Amino acid sequence: MSQPRKAVALISGGLDSMLAARVIMEQGIHVEGINFFTGFCVEGHTHAIRKRDQKKPKRNNALWVAEQLGIKLHIIDIIEEYKDVLINPKHGYGANLNPCLDCKIFMVGKAYQWMRENGFDFIITGEVVGQRPKSQRKDTMPVVARESGVGDLLLRPLCAKNLPPTKPEREGWVDREKLYDFSGRTRKPQMALARKFGLVDYAQPAGGCCFLTDENYSRKLADLWQARGRRDYELDDIMLLKVGRHLRPRPHFKLIVAREEGEGRFLQGYKNRFVHLFPTSHSGPLTLIDGQPSDEDLELAARIVARYSQGRNADQVTVKAVMPGGEEKEFTAAPLKPHEIPPEWVL
């Protein structure tokens, strides 16, 4: 008796990858999931930080999907390896700093390596022809298969009938007639299939699952690269870009201003690494300074902090600045008026 075939499914935490895995599981294939951690995921981090998001689920959607499917999930940290994908994308960016096609090629290639090392037979993704303008087009799907090295061991169950048969279909490992022909950006077929499988709770797909598709986030990342004079980053950099109000009043420094209590608590963890400011005469936000501010710069920063404090309408607000080494400076600052903060300062 032949051994049952085994497939590894790329699990993003969204509905499509969840359905793709379930469709193949329905055919008696052993499926395990793989999830790659880049640091740019839109989930968990901000919901866990912000007080206003307390009622939102604090979950890793990929883990949650694996639990719903009853499959094992392998989470792989690719933060360092992913830097080259983001900084030097062969196929360029999408509308923002999203290297979607290079990202898909890279992740499928990593999954192919894992597949071979662990004795699996083929790879599943939740891609749908025409759903994403950069990476999920009929002309780019063969590029992913070819440049990742996986070839025709890459199966896309949700749109397989719109594509040439893959080896798992030709060899009879899976029944092509039980796969689907979804296409385009509509979500209705996926939602109908979810109902058929009894899946009623899943991550909403709007906007994708990556901060790099977000215009505001991409603008802040581009600003970080420009200010530092190099296209590089660390995990703390990309986490801080997700939190707070970012203002750059001068080319050589920017402020990260907590917008609410949860963000303030999060920024507390970084205050020993940055110059940080906070008002002492009124309630107000903790603010980090990324850069090398002079005393004159600190005076301006104090006025900005005063603007976002409860003393915004007062004549003067006392603001304390603390250096990374512990040195303290105190400023009596007149809060900036709204018209004194030009739009170009706001990232």
Side-chain angles (χ1 to χ4, degrees):
M1 184 176 178
S2 62
Q3 292 291 320
R5 295 292 174 175
K6 298 193 293 184
V8 58
L10 271 68
I11 300 293
S12 66
L15 176 60
D16 289 351
S17 60
M18 186 181 197
L19 290 174
R22 179 64 183 271
V23 166
I24 297 304
M25 292 170 68
E26 290 286 306
Q27 296 201 30
I29 303 291
H30 175 81
V31 175
E32 294 185 17
I34 193 167
N35 175 262
F36 296 108
F37 179 69
T38 66
F40 292 103
C41 298
V42 181
E43 62 168 36
H45 300 134
T46 51
H47 292 175
I49 291 166
R50 294 175 186 162
K51 186 176 180 181
R52 71 179 185 184
D53 291 335
Q54 282 182 344
K55 294 183 180 179
K56 293 185 178 180
K58 311 299 190 295
R59 71 188 186 198
N60 178 303
N61 282 322
L63 280 171
W64 183 85
V65 163
E67 182 180 350
Q68 302 309 300
L69 294 172
I71 64 174
K72 183 183 293 186
L73 181 70
H74 306 272
I75 299 179
I76 299 177
D77 183 334
I78 57 167
I79 291 173
E80 288 301 317
E81 294 175 88
Y82 191 74
K83 286 183 180 181
D84 190 57
V85 177
L86 173 56
I87 294 169
N88 303 298
K90 174 183 174 182
H91 297 280
Y93 298 109
N96 298 297
L97 285 179
N98 47 310
C100 292
L101 183 51
D102 292 86
C103 181
K104 182 64 70 175
I105 292 167
F106 176 73
M107 290 188 178
V108 171
K110 292 292 289 184
Y112 180 47
Q113 177 185 345
W114 188 95
M115 181 199 88
R116 289 179 295 168
E117 291 173 353
N118 291 275
F120 279 62
D121 299 296
F122 62 101
I123 294 173
I124 309 163
T125 71
E127 295 167 281
V128 170
V129 174
Q131 188 171 104
R132 300 289 182 197
K134 184 71 176 174
S135 62
Q136 294 185 34
R137 304 195 311 263
K138 201 159 189 175
D139 61 318
T140 58
M141 286 187 164
V143 175
V144 173
R146 182 175 67 251
E147 295 193 10
S148 67
V150 71
D152 64 355
L153 292 176
L154 174 60
L155 176 62
R156 294 141 166 143
L158 301 186
C159 64
K161 288 184 177 178
N162 296 320
L163 301 170
T166 59
K167 183 174 181 178
E169 297 163 88
R170 296 195 309 271
E171 297 290 331
W173 303 347
V174 300
D175 184 348
R176 182 175 170 88
E177 291 307 307
K178 294 180 180 178
L179 305 179
Y180 294 86
D181 61 355
F182 298 167
S183 66
R185 305 196 70 166
T186 178
R187 308 294 300 180
K188 291 180 180 178
Q190 287 94 316
M191 290 187 281
L193 184 57
R195 287 193 296 271
K196 175 184 173 182
F197 287 142
L199 303 172
V200 295
D201 182 14
Y202 43 83
Q204 294 303 310
C209 60
C210 177
F211 264 111
L212 294 170
T213 64
D214 181 81
E215 180 182 0
N216 294 327
Y217 187 89
S218 292
R219 184 169 60 249
K220 287 185 282 189
L221 179 56
D223 168 80
L224 178 78
W225 287 345
Q226 181 177 10
R228 295 187 179 175
R230 65 185 189 280
R231 292 163 66 87
D232 196 7
Y233 60 87
E234 300 301 330
L235 179 59
D236 284 335
D237 294 325
I238 60 181
M239 292 298 292
L240 284 169
L241 292 181
K242 300 178 183 181
V243 177
R245 179 183 285 107
H246 291 237
L247 302 101
R248 186 173 293 282
R250 300 290 184 269
H252 58 282
F253 78 95
K254 76 169 181 179
L255 285 74
I256 306 174
V257 185
R259 292 172 293 188
E260 44 102 271
E261 182 182 342
E263 289 190 341
R265 287 196 299 268
F266 180 78
L267 295 182
Q268 286 279 344
Y270 290 90
K271 68 180 185 180
N272 292 331
R273 294 172 49 186
F274 293 86
V275 177
H276 66 277
L277 299 89
F278 54 93
T280 57
S281 60
H282 300 77
S283 297
L286 176 68
T287 299
L288 305 183
I289 293 187
D290 185 2
Q292 300 296 324
S294 65
D295 284 348
E296 182 181 350
D297 295 330
L298 289 175
E299 290 178 7
L300 174 59
R303 294 191 67 195
I304 295 171
V305 172
R307 165 73 189 97
Y308 292 108
S309 76
Q310 293 299 312
R312 64 178 62 88
N313 296 319
D315 293 332
Q316 303 286 337
V317 174
T318 304
V319 176
K320 181 176 288 188
V322 184
M323 308 302 115
E327 180 189 358
E328 297 183 358
K329 298 181 180 181
E330 192 167 85
F331 299 89
T332 301
L336 288 181
K337 303 301 180 186
H339 70 272
E340 294 180 293
I341 301 180
E344 57 267 24
W345 287 10
V346 182
L347 301 177

